[in-house]
Amino acid sequence: QVQLVESEGGVVHPGGSLRLSCAASGSAFSISTMAWYRQAPGKRRELVAGITSAGSTNYADSVKGRFTISRDNAKNTVYLQMNSLKPEDTAVYYCKSRGFGYEYWGQGTQITVSS
């Protein structure tokens, strides 16, 4: 069983920045694909960014050039650096770990972008 613990979210002004982190328990982190998803009120959960065990990344079009996903295998942690935040980035952000035969989710953290 893997536990994913996300950092606390918060309220950010438009144009501001925030870095989320997600710490994973267990020994399989380095071979897992990690990802950040988000779900806004009344909308489906969507992929924000993903990073493979080899470090390859992919992003939703809506966040390309603004968000950066990274991982530190020594710390079993994945990060999401969010810059130039917009009100439409407001959502609950979830961390996900995926590998062969398993998938785990974090509890989610609320990010609100508002002036």
Side-chain angles (χ1 to χ4, degrees):
Q1 185 77 13
V2 172
Q3 286 190 320
L4 301 175
V5 180
E6 293 131 344
S7 56
E8 193 171 327
V11 179
V12 185
H13 288 187
S17 297
L18 189 68
R19 188 177 81 157
L20 296 179
S21 63
C22 171
S25 64
S27 59
F29 179 84
S30 64
I31 62 172
S32 299
T33 293
M34 302 299 296
W36 288 96
Y37 284 73
R38 67 186 181 188
Q39 187 167 18
K43 294 189 177 182
R44 297 176 63 180
R45 191 173 296 188
E46 63 175 0
L47 175 68
V48 176
I51 184 166
T52 69
S53 58
S56 296
T57 59
N58 64 289
Y59 297 91
D61 287 343
S62 59
V63 306
K64 279 181 183 175
R66 300 189 298 122
F67 290 12
T68 302
I69 188 171
S70 61
R71 64 191 298 160
D72 185 338
N73 289 341
K75 295 182 178 180
N76 275 18
T77 301
V78 62
Y79 304 96
L80 184 67
Q81 177 67 44
M82 303 184 290
N83 298 329
S84 302
L85 283 160
K86 305 175 181 180
E88 50 264 43
D89 294 318
T90 294
V92 178
Y93 284 71
Y94 298 90
C95 173
K96 188 180 87 170
S97 172
R98 179 175 61 84
F100 183 74
Y102 64 88
E103 181 178 288
Y104 298 101
W105 290 86
Q107 79 283 2
T109 187
Q110 176 70 47
I111 303 298
T112 300
V113 184
S114 173
S115 55

